[in-house]
Amino acid sequence: MHQRSFQQSSRSASAGRRRRGGRGSSGKMFFVAGVKNTTGSVRGNERRSIYQKFREVDILDKKKTVTALKPGEDRAIILGLGMILSSIVMYFVLGITTLRSYADSVWTEEAVCVVLNSTLTADVNCSYSCGSDCWRASKYPCLQVYVSVNNTGRITRLSHNEETQDASPECFYVPRCQRDSAAMHAMILNISDRLKVNQQLTCFYDPSERQDRVILTRLYDHAVLFHSLLWPSCVLTGGMAIILMVKLTQYLSRLCEEIVKIKR
């Protein structure tokens, strides 16, 4: 009896030890698993924080790029608009000066004129500036030139250009008035001698015959009109090109950003 009770007590004691050992091992396993889960979450948080840092740096760089490009684009657009406005002003000035004179000129047809007579007539009075609010009188000889127009066959008087025709219709050339009248006389005489040597000249006449006189040279011909309109057109084209390039750059920048977002 004593041996049986001793054996039962020893068995119960060993079973209790086994139960305690099982509980201890399960507690150790739970602790290790908790440590592993905590380590994984820490690593995940670190990865997220690193990704967020890179993302923030990327966004900051893009913002810096945008803020750096925006003032340059604004300056370029202002430059383009300024060039366009300048060209418009130039067109306006040319429109009331060169284009108007070109449109008012009636001597449009070219012909061959033969010099018939070139003579010096009476002196013409003129005035020149001698200072502030100071004008003095002088004179120059009036040169009259008669030509025969081959295209029409009529005989008429020849003038140097449109301004000479408006200033003095009777004279071929109006020199710049100066103090030395002898110098002006020598100049007019030299022109008369050249016209006598070169008797066939290229001249311009009015095909509508509103003006019976012909002129030797045109102040506002096609070449003058072309060169007058060339520079405003270049400035206008340059201003429009600058604005179009800025707008194209902005469009390509937005397109690249959208492509990058789609890839991500």
Side-chain angles (χ1 to χ4, degrees):
M1 294 291 291
H2 290 288
Q3 290 179 354
R4 289 178 182 176
S5 62
F6 179 75
Q7 289 176 357
Q8 290 177 356
S9 62
S10 63
R11 288 175 183 173
S12 62
S14 61
R17 289 175 184 173
R18 289 174 185 174
R19 290 173 185 172
R20 292 191 192 105
R23 291 175 183 173
S25 61
S26 63
K28 289 180 180 178
M29 291 175 65
F30 176 77
F31 178 74
V32 172
V35 171
K36 289 182 179 180
N37 292 331
T38 307
T39 306
S41 62
V42 170
R43 290 179 181 174
N45 293 330
E46 289 179 354
R47 290 176 182 173
R48 290 176 184 173
S49 62
I50 293 171
Y51 175 75
Q52 289 178 356
K53 288 180 180 179
F54 279 115
R55 183 69 176 172
E56 290 175 357
V57 170
D58 189 14
I59 293 172
L60 185 61
D61 290 338
K62 287 183 179 179
K63 288 182 178 179
K64 288 181 179 179
T65 305
V66 170
T67 54
L69 289 175
K70 190 172 178 58
E73 292 174 352
D74 293 340
R75 294 190 193 99
I77 291 176
I78 292 172
L79 175 62
L81 292 175
M83 293 175 67
I84 292 173
L85 292 176
S86 299
S87 64
I88 292 173
V89 173
M90 293 171 69
Y91 278 128
F92 176 75
V93 174
L94 290 173
I96 62 176
T97 55
T98 305
L99 292 178
R100 185 176 180 180
S101 300
Y102 176 80
D104 293 340
S105 179
V106 296
W107 295 275
T108 57
E109 293 294 330
E110 186 175 343
V112 177
C113 295
V114 179
V115 178
L116 301 177
N117 188 13
S118 175
T119 57
L120 297 177
T121 59
D123 293 337
V124 179
N125 295 324
C126 64
S127 59
Y128 63 93
S129 177
C130 57
S132 179
D133 296 333
C134 175
W135 295 91
R136 291 184 180 179
S138 184
K139 58 183 179 178
Y140 63 91
C142 178
L143 175 63
Q144 291 184 351
V145 180
Y146 287 90
V147 295
S148 174
V149 184
N150 287 350
N151 290 18
T152 60
R154 58 191 175 93
I155 298 174
T156 183
R157 192 173 293 167
L158 180 68
S159 297
H160 183 239
N161 51 35
E162 294 93 341
E163 289 184 354
T164 305
Q165 174 64 27
D166 295 336
S168 178
E170 302 296 328
C171 303
F172 168 76
Y173 182 73
V174 178
R176 182 180 178 183
C177 191
Q178 54 185 340
R179 180 179 179 180
D180 191 359
S181 60
M184 291 189 292
H185 188 276
M187 183 190 302
I188 299 297
L189 187 62
N190 186 19
I191 293 173
S192 177
D193 294 338
R194 288 186 178 183
L195 291 175
K196 290 178 181 178
V197 174
N198 301 320
Q199 292 187 349
Q200 286 190 352
L201 305 170
T202 301
C203 58
F204 297 91
Y205 69 96
D206 181 12
S208 63
E209 296 184 355
R210 288 180 296 176
Q211 289 285 345
D212 57 346
R213 293 177 177 83
V214 295
I215 61 175
L216 182 63
T217 58
R218 295 183 64 187
L219 290 176
Y220 307 103
D221 56 357
H222 297 288
V224 174
L225 185 65
F226 172 76
H227 288 293
S228 299
L229 297 177
L230 176 62
W231 295 111
S233 301
C234 291
V235 174
L236 177 63
T237 305
M240 294 177 64
I242 290 173
I243 294 176
L244 289 176
M245 289 175 65
V246 172
K247 293 299 181 181
L248 180 61
T249 304
Q250 292 176 351
Y251 171 74
L252 293 176
S253 177
R254 289 194 296 267
L255 186 62
C256 291
E257 290 179 0
E258 291 178 359
I259 293 172
V260 171
K261 289 179 181 178
I262 292 171
K263 286 183 178 181
R264 289 180 179 177

